[in-house]
């Protein structure tokens, strides 16, 4: 039976695409709740972030046989040939952890949690061969207006409900070369066998001015022509997360 | 509670007469007592009383009957002359029984469990997952719909039964106030009916004493017959409420399925606890598995199967009162048949005549296709004249256009037979009687054993008065000193007497009722015109008459009976004849219809052949056996069991109605099922398969399946040991075919998973992540990441495909279920409904998979065309597996394969 299935490429992908959008830290009911003054309350989130980012450390990306530098401005897709191992493994674009700045954990190893300015990482689910298309300029929400880049899948987070919008405060985005989105040169993904050490592009989102002691629901979306949203699948192309930060 | 049809019956209940009406707490005891009373002979001496004593005993008058006032008084005292009707159950109770009885109960519990599970999930988790709610509603709907359906069916058939009851004539002729009056049976009244009228032979309650017929020699005993063995064509048999085998089967099945369900449920409960599911999830799992094992469709399938068979039987003029009785017929192992009217035509017919020192054969066939005899002899003319004149039977009016044999006659059976015979051979008896007007007559009585009448002779060549007489042959012969041979009067010498004896014995040995006939031309000089004959003084000769001949009558067997008996035999059904007739008659008929087959001897036959006393014959040597009622009376039940067990061909003669009950009880002790007909071929196989099938139409279509060619040659099911659902069927259903089906289903499941990116190796241990709705980046075997919803869609696609695969393997299952022993190639694919069922099933599956909106409604998703074919090899495997199994069973009957897998 398995003989009929390719090792490198699944037979059908109509169920996995369009891709989901997920966040780190990964939490039950996507609720991030902690007390600023109590390091223990945010320890799990920090550990989770640190664990996830360890792959992105500079020390992990030294092997030039595997990693290549793809620059720090968004560029077009990097095609790497057919989906088989005739040419051996495929190279992988580096993703520098420093790009995540305040959320890189390099300066602040609590990712802003100790200051009550929590970071989350946003990533687009990996799909073999999937090439996200940058959105058309007109379709971008007002918050992203003017930040259009033809090689970037922008990420944007706003309050889930309009009445909460003043509670969210300022949102900082850190991504490749300071661009708040996923650059296209990281796509397409060639799969676990051909790119075992593939690093999917990340966007760090920091909420620097969240209102404390109330539940604030935030929704983050990735924008692209072939990124869709579904009422049934609330993690397709977007996700929402709840913050409940206690001041004491 | 009174137990009935589909209700759970325990093996202890045997049967209860429908006609008993006792209610209340002591019912069981009363019932038992009632049974014992029924088995006792009713002690009756009315038939031994003289007429004087009799009318004094009942305060009536022989010629005038009761006065109206007295009749009314008796009616007030004893109530109307009807059977106490069985207590009628209110309609709503009947409906509730259909709705909550037996199997439905299981479904109700399942439905409740579903609601419970839904309640738990929605309260505890606040989730809006309505699957359990839907299932609960569906289960409840299934029960309600099937309940209504069965109720409707039963109401319909009981209505037919009601109409039958009203068709049975309930009138008797009574003399009240001196007028012959037709009284509705219920009208009551006490008195003797005028002789030779027809009344229902069904029941005669003790306070209205009428005999069945006043025909000579037949013992009559008023009785309360609640039922008849065998089918009496015109009377609906009132049957015993027996716990039908299908009811027991269903009970057995419920036990089994409950056992399996609980076992599986608990194992999975424990497993899920081990797998660190929460208690709540485990409990819901438990409920889910138990509910999943409830075969919702079985009830509907069984009902439809039985209804179809009942309808088919109705087309063959066999009305089934209760649906479940249909299945009972399928397990018939013994048929106790009445003789008269069931095996025979219930129509006395002249079979033989002896005159001119020779036996002549008359035509006894139903359509008069048989041989004829020489009618030119002068003796025959004389004999026919005697038989026609010395005969009180008359045709009823306005029947000129009815064939003679079918005409209704007022008169007893023998005289009717003679009347028809003479009418047939010699033309109108009425005209003959007009030419020979009757002067006086002495009716038959048991002291004289003859009947005599004197007629004016219209023929001028003979004397003026003709005396004719008929009666018991030996008595008639004693009164004769001459005999008519070829129209010539000859002295009755010893040689003639010997030849008479031989003829008499021969005809008697054929089981025929023989009558002798003689006449005398009264000399004109002694009996001039206007002579006053006095029957009290007997002023005319009744001795030294001239013997004319013998005529013998029999109730001939129905043409179709020997064939039917043969079929029953080959189906392994024992046919027992029970009759009130004389053993010789009984044996002759039994031989005639094949109940005692050719070459089989009774103990008496062996004794006669070897010329040794009966006591020296080893009873085991005789396969056939004729039991006399008087012997039966003295038998212990062990002796009766011995007879039933060791003789294959049994005839009970001279039995009283009470003894019939004893016989049936004896049969039931053997584990036989006494039944009256065996039409139910299909039922044997039909209900077998329901267990395996979930889509309904295909299962039901099996009921339309042609019976396997040799089904009637197979042994009937023994309801005690051969369960429809036995461990072999369970083993086949769950263990073998079920396993292959499950394999097919899971294979498809894994194919879909793999083609979407989850290889089987990657699936191991993935479940915790898979089911966590907050993890939306679960990696597949290619490194792709899946959101919860995406995974679930794949999972439900797999479920859909699993379902489709089951449909595909069910094709094979359905085809193999057509037969239990024969190959499908022998059976053919002629069942259009089955083929329709296959398509219907497939179309339904396709509809469920592809119809837009099904993803929301049932979480079923469209399948890629190739996924339909994944289960094909398994379908083929099932087919081959079962064909080979059947081949081995056919080649090697009774072998290991048959013992282990034949269901």
């Amino acid at each position: 039976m398995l003989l009929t299935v390719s090792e490198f490429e699944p037979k059908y992908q109509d169920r996995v695409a369009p891709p989901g959008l997920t966040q780190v830290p990964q939490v039950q009911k996507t609720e991030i709740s902690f007390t600023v003054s109590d390091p223990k309350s945010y320890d799990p989130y920090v550990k989770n972030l640190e664990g996830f980012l360890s792959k992105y450390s500079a020390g992990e990306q030294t092997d030039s046989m595997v990693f290549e530098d793809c620059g720090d401005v968004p560029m077009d897709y990097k095609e790497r040939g057919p989906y088989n191992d005739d040419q051996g493994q495929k190279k992988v674009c580096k993703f520098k952890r420093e790009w995540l700045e305040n959320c890189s954990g390099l300066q602040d190893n609590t990712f802003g949690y100790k200051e009550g300015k929590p970071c989350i990482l946003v990533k687009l689910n990996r799909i073999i061969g999937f090439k996200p298309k940058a959105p058309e300029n007109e379709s971008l929400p007002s918050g992203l207006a003017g930040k259009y880049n033809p090689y970037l899948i922008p990420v944007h987070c706003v309050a889930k409900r309009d009445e909460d919008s003043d509670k969210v405060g300022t949102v900082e985005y850190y991504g490749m070369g300071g661009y708040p989105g996923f650059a296209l040169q990281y796509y397409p993904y060639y799969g676990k066998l051909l790119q075992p050490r593939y690093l999917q592009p990340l966007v760090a989102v920091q909420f620097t001015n969240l209102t404390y002691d109330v539940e604030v629901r935030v929704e983050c979306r990735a924008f692209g022509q072939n990124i869709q949203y579904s009422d049934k699948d609330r993690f397709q192309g977007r996700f929402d997360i709840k913050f409940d930060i206690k001041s004491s | 509670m009174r137990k009935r049809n589909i209700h759970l019956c325990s093996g202890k209940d045997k049967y209860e007469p429908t006609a008993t009406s006792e209610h209340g707490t002591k019912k069981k005891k009363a019932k038992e007592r009632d049974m014992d009373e029924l088995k006792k002979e009713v002690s009756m001496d009315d038939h031994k009383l003289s007429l004087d004593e009799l009318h004094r005993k009942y305060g009536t008058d022989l010629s005038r009957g009761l006065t109206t006032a007295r009749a009314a008084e008796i009616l007030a005292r004893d109530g109307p002359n009807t059977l106490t009707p069985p207590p009628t159950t209110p309609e709503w109770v009947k409906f509730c029984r259909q709705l909550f009885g037996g199997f439905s109960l299981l479904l109700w519990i399942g439905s409740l469990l579903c609601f419970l599970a839904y309640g738990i999930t929605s309260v505890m988790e606040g989730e809006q997952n309505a699957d359990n709610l839907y299932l609960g509603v569906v289960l409840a709907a299934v029960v309600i719909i099937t309940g209504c359906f069965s109720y409707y069916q039963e109401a319909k058939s009981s209505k037919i039964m009601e109409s039958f009851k009203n068709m049975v004539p309930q009138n008797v002729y009574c003399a009240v106030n001196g007028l012959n009056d037709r009284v509705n049976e219920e009208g009551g009244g006490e008195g003797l009916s005028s002789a030779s009228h027809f009344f229902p032979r069904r029941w005669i309650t003790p306070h209205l004493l009428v005999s069945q017929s006043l025909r000579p020699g037949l013992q009559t005993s008023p009785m309360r017959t609640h039922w008849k063995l065998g089918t009496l064509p015109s009377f609906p048999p009132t049957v015993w409420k027996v716990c039908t085998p299908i009811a027991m089967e269903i009970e057995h099945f419920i036990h089994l399925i409950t056992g399996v369900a609980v076992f599986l449920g608990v194992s999975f409960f424990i497993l899920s606890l081990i797998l660190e599911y929460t208690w709540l999830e485990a409990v819901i799992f438990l409920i889910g598995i138990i509910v999943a094992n409830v075969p919702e469709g079985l009830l509907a399938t069984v009902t439809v199967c039985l209804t179809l068979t009942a309808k088919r039987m109705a087309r063959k003029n066999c009305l089934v009162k209760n649906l479940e009785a249909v299945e009972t017929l399928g397990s018939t192992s013994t048929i106790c048949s009445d003789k008269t009217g069931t095996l025979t035509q219930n129509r006395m017919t002249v079979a033989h005549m002896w005159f001119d020192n020779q036996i002549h054969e008359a035509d006894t066939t139903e359509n008069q296709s048989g041989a004829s005899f020489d009618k030119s002899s002068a003796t025959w003319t004389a004999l026919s004249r005697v038989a026609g004149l010395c005969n009180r039977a008359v045709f009823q009016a306005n029947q000129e256009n009815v064939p003679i044999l079918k005409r209704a006659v007022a008169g007893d059976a023998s005289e009717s037979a003679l009347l028809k015979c003479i009418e047939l051979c010699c033309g109108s008896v009425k005209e003959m009687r007009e030419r020979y007007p009757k002067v006086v007559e002495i009716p038959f009585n048991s002291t004289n054993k003859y009947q005599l009448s004197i007629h004016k002779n219209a023929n001028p060549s003979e004397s003026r008065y003709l005396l004719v007489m008929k009666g018991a042959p030996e008595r008639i012969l004693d009164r004769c000193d001459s005999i008519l041979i070829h129209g010539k009067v000859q002295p009755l010498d010893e040689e003639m007497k010997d030849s008479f004896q031989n003829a008499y014995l021969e005809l008697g040995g054929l089981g025929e009722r023989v009558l002798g006939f003689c006449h005398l031309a009264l000399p004109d000089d002694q009996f001039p015109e206007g002579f006053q004959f006095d029957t009290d003084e007997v002023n005319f000769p009744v001795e030294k008459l001239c013997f004319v001949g013998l005529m013998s009558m029999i109730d001939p067997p129905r043409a179709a009976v020997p064939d039917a008996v043969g079929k029953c035999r080959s189906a392994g059904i024992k046919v027992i004849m029970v009759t009130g007739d004389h053993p010789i008659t009984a044996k002759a008929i039994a031989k005639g219809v094949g109940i005692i087959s050719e070459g089989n001897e009774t103990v008496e036959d062996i004794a006669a052949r070897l010329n040794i006393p009966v006591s020296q014959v080893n009873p085991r040597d005789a396969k056939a056996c004729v039991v006399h009622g008087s012997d039966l009376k003295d038998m212990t039940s062990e002796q009766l069991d011995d007879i039933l067990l060791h003789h294959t061909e049994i005839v009970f003669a001279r039995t009283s109605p009470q003894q019939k009950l004893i016989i049936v009880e004896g049969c039931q002790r053997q584990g036989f099922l006494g039944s009256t007909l065996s039409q139910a071929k299909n039922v044997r196989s039909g209900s077998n398969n329901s267990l395996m099938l979930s889509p309904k139409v295909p299962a039901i279509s099996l009921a339309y399946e042609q019976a396997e060619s040799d089904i009637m040659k197979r042994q009937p099911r023994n309801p005690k040991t051969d369960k429809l659902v036995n461990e072999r069927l369970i083993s086949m259903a769950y263990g073998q075919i079920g396993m292959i089906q499950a394999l097919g289903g899971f294979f498809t499941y894994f194919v879909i998973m793999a083609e979407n990116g989850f290889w089987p190796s990657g699936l191991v241990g993935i479940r915790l992540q898979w089911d966590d709705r907050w993890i939306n980046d679960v990696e597949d075997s290619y490194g792709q990441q899946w959101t919860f919803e995406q995974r679930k869609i794949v999972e439900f696609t797999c479920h859909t495909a699993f379902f489709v695969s089951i449909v595909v393997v069910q094709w094979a299952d359905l085809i193999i279920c057509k037969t239990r022993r024969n190959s499908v190639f022998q059976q053919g694919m002629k069942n259009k409904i089955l083929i329709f069922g296959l398509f219907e099933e497939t179309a339904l599956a396709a509809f469920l998979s592809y119809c837009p909106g099904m993803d929301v409604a049932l979480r079923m998703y469209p399948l890629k065309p190739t996924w339909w074919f994944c289960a094909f090899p398994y379908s083929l495997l099932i087919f081959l597996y079962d064909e080979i199994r059947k081949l081995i069973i056919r080649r090697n009957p009774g072998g290991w394969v048959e013992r282990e897998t034949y269901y």
Side-chain angles (χ1 to χ4, degrees), chain B residues 319-458:
Chain B
L319 183 78
V320 181
K321 194 176 166 190
N322 176 320
L323 277 187
E324 291 171 34
V326 173
E327 203 282 334
T328 313
L329 296 179
S331 40
T332 303
S333 61
T334 303
I335 297 175
C336 291
S337 176
D338 205 359
K339 186 191 72 107
T340 311
T342 309
L343 301 176
T344 63
Q345 299 171 16
N346 194 17
R347 183 169 65 84
M348 268 294 173
T349 310
V350 175
H352 293 96
M353 293 162 218
W354 181 79
F355 57 85
D356 293 345
N357 199 7
Q358 203 179 344
I359 290 179
H360 300 266
E361 200 170 314
D363 187 1
T364 57
T365 53
E366 278 153 288
N367 52 6
Q368 286 298 301
S369 56
S372 193
F373 61 94
D374 176 28
K375 290 177 188 147
S376 59
S377 165
T379 319
W380 162 244
T381 319
L383 182 59
S384 60
R385 190 171 64 181
V386 178
L389 293 178
C390 189
N391 190 332
R392 290 163 52 123
V394 283
F395 286 114
Q396 286 177 8
N398 303 323
Q399 296 191 88
E400 285 72 24
N401 300 326
V402 183
I404 291 169
L405 284 173
K406 296 232 167 75
R407 287 186 199 169
V409 179
D412 79 35
S414 314
E415 294 205 322
S416 308
L418 292 173
L419 177 69
K420 285 178 180 172
C421 175
I422 304 303
E423 182 92 9
L424 212 57
C425 302
C426 312
S428 172
V429 174
K430 204 174 161 213
E431 282 170 26
M432 187 205 284
R433 287 181 188 166
E434 275 161 10
R435 277 189 285 123
Y436 296 86
K438 192 190 281 176
V439 184
V440 285
E441 76 174 332
I442 303 176
F444 184 89
N445 72 56
S446 48
T447 351
N448 295 344
K449 299 223 185 235
Y450 67 75
Q451 177 182 353
L452 172 153
S453 57
I454 296 172
H455 299 259
K456 252 189 177 149
N457 195 340

Side-chain angles (χ1 to χ4, degrees), chain B residues 625 627 635 639-647 650 652:
Chain B
C625 161
V627 183
M635 264 182 207
Q639 284 170 312
L640 179 60
D641 289 351
D642 190 65
I643 287 179
L644 290 172
L645 198 64
H646 291 293
H647 295 281
I650 308 172
F652 289 97

Side-chain angles (χ1 to χ4, degrees), chain B residues 714-745:
Chain B
R714 294 186 200 157
Q715 290 292 315
R717 193 166 70 76
N718 178 342
K720 290 230 173 92
T721 53
D722 299 356
K723 292 287 176 204
L724 276 182
V725 179
N726 50 23
E727 58 279 15
R728 293 188 300 279
L729 179 65
I730 292 278
S731 139
M732 280 299 283
Y734 279 87
Q736 296 162 54
I737 303 297
M739 276 301 163
I740 301 177
Q741 295 191 336
L743 269 181

Side-chain angles (χ1 to χ4, degrees), chain B residues 613-663:
Chain B
V614 171
S615 55
Q616 286 180 20
V617 180
N618 178 3
R620 294 278 184 282
D621 291 345
K623 280 191 176 163
C625 161
V626 178
V627 183
H628 195 280
S630 57
D631 300 337
L632 188 61
K633 204 157 50 180
D634 303 329
M635 264 182 207
T636 62
S637 49
E638 286 76 29
Q639 284 170 312
L640 179 60
D641 289 351
D642 190 65
I643 287 179
L644 290 172
L645 198 64
H646 291 293
H647 295 281
T648 49
E649 303 175 339
I650 308 172
V651 171
F652 289 97
R654 277 276 181 260
T655 43
S656 65
Q658 289 76 14
Q659 288 174 333
K660 293 179 179 178
L661 183 54
I662 297 174
I663 294 165

Side-chain angles (χ1 to χ4, degrees), chain B residues 564-711:
Chain B
V565 170
K567 274 186 181 160
C568 290
R569 250 312 125 65
S570 67
I573 300 171
K574 198 168 181 172
V575 184
I576 293 178
M577 181 167 116
V578 183
T579 173
D581 282 5
H582 192 273
I584 294 177
T585 318
K587 195 170 142 191
I589 293 289
K591 283 198 163 161
V593 299
I595 285 179
I596 294 181
S597 45
E598 236 171 277
N600 271 355
E601 294 178 304
T602 64
V603 175
E604 291 78 14
D605 290 337
I606 296 178
R609 178 164 54 83
L610 302 175
N611 211 1
I612 51 171
V614 171
S615 55
Q616 286 180 20
V617 180
N618 178 3
R620 294 278 184 282
D621 291 345
K623 280 191 176 163
C625 161
V626 178
V627 183
H628 195 280
S630 57
D631 300 337
L632 188 61
K633 204 157 50 180
D634 303 329
M635 264 182 207
T636 62
S637 49
E638 286 76 29
Q639 284 170 312
L640 179 60
D641 289 351
D642 190 65
I643 287 179
L644 290 172
L645 198 64
H646 291 293
H647 295 281
T648 49
E649 303 175 339
I650 308 172
V651 171
F652 289 97
R654 277 276 181 260
T655 43
S656 65
Q658 289 76 14
Q659 288 174 333
K660 293 179 179 178
L661 183 54
I662 297 174
I663 294 165
V664 170
E665 271 201 335
C667 291
Q668 284 174 333
R669 267 201 302 279
Q670 311 284 309
F672 297 160
L673 251 161
S675 181
T676 51
L677 268 176
S678 62
Q679 281 275 353
K681 287 175 168 186
N682 274 14
V683 198
R684 284 196 190 169
S685 55
S687 42
N688 262 339
N689 310 303
S690 336
L691 173 68
M692 298 189 193
L693 299 155
S694 52
K696 307 306 172 298
V697 173
I700 291 164
S701 76
L702 280 174
Y704 286 98
E705 186 62 30
Q706 277 260 314
E708 282 176 73
S709 51
D710 63 339
I711 191 149

Side-chain angles (χ1 to χ4, degrees), chain B residues 880-896:
Chain B
L880 290 179
Y881 177 82
D882 211 62
E883 277 297 310
I884 291 170
R885 185 181 68 88
K886 285 176 192 156
L887 182 73
I888 297 175
I889 288 179
R890 285 198 304 274
R891 285 282 160 81
N892 186 7
W896 179 83

